Amino acid sequence: MMLTTITTDRLILRPLTLDDAEAAFKWTGDERVAKYMIYSTHESVETTKKWLRTVRSTDTAFEFGFVRKSDNKLIGSGGIRLKDDGFWEFGYNFRYDCWGIGYATEASKAMIELVRSKYGNVKLMAECAAENTASAHVIEKCGLEFKRYGEYSSYDGLKIFKAKIYESR
């Protein structure tokens, strides 16, 4: 599997490595960022390293670190993967100080474009916590439309969220 790197106007999407642990901990260890995520807030850089050891890209799952071009800093991560139901699902996570300036939309559109360039006009889906209006806005800007409500829970089962589920038109 060839590791993929994508360049956008402001970001470089590249594979994550164990060397990214300190930078990644800036968002994985921030409870404001973890609030709606399926992971619990990381208690230490060691927890982030454990997670990074599990991150793998395949031909049907692309995982990226998001690097800001202007200062070469890792500011987030995300991916797009083919699910069993035939939909490609994407998601993202950014440092709190990088919210609200379009990085999530820019990164998501780049991941969608990558998959479409490889596999054609695929079906897309994404979901977010119903009260996470910022993420809902990103998903809509990527061309998906709200289909239904559902729910999702954190890996540890401690958090359960009402979710908004979006699909491509």
Side-chain angles (χ1 to χ4, degrees):
M1 160 89 211
M2 187 162 135
L3 297 175
T4 303
T5 298
I6 305 170
T7 304
T8 68
D9 288 346
R10 300 180 295 165
L11 301 170
I12 299 165
L13 285 65
R14 58 138 175 96
L16 288 161
T17 71
L18 210 48
D19 293 338
D20 292 322
E22 292 284 343
F25 184 65
K26 284 186 172 55
W27 73 85
T28 61
D30 185 336
E31 60 191 35
R32 297 169 300 184
V33 177
K35 182 176 181 179
Y36 299 118
M37 301 305 295
I38 56 175
Y39 65 85
S40 295
T41 307
H42 289 188
E43 301 296 324
S44 69
V45 175
E46 283 311 308
T47 307
T48 302
K49 284 181 179 174
K50 196 182 299 182
W51 163 65
L52 285 168
R53 286 187 191 98
T54 70
V55 178
R56 296 278 175 274
S57 286
T58 68
D59 289 332
T60 55
F62 301 92
E63 301 289 340
F64 297 101
F66 305 141
V67 176
R68 185 168 48 202
K69 280 182 176 176
S70 61
D71 59 7
N72 209 32
K73 293 240 187 299
L74 181 72
I75 59 168
S77 66
I80 186 165
R81 65 204 57 77
L82 181 61
K83 297 176 23 182
D84 291 341
D85 62 7
F87 281 86
W88 285 83
E89 180 178 29
F90 64 93
Y92 43 81
N93 210 358
F94 281 89
R95 273 183 6 202
Y96 186 75
D97 65 337
C98 296
W99 286 11
I101 46 185
Y103 289 137
T105 302
E106 190 171 326
S108 296
K109 285 182 173 180
M111 293 186 296
I112 291 165
E113 179 56 36
L114 169 72
V115 168
R116 287 195 165 144
S117 72
K118 289 181 177 291
Y119 299 105
N121 192 22
V122 298
K123 297 186 301 183
L124 300 168
M125 74 84 57
E127 68 181 328
C128 63
E131 58 190 60
N132 187 350
T133 54
S135 261
H137 195 58
V138 168
I139 295 165
E140 290 163 2
K141 284 197 276 187
C142 289
L144 282 72
E145 60 186 12
F146 174 73
K147 291 293 186 186
R148 65 190 173 282
Y149 286 100
E151 71 174 33
Y152 67 95
S153 60
S154 56
Y155 291 131
D156 59 16
L158 298 178
K159 301 186 287 186
I160 297 176
F161 300 98
K162 182 176 184 181
K164 289 181 88 174
I165 299 168
Y166 291 81
E167 294 176 5
S168 48
R169 291 179 168 78

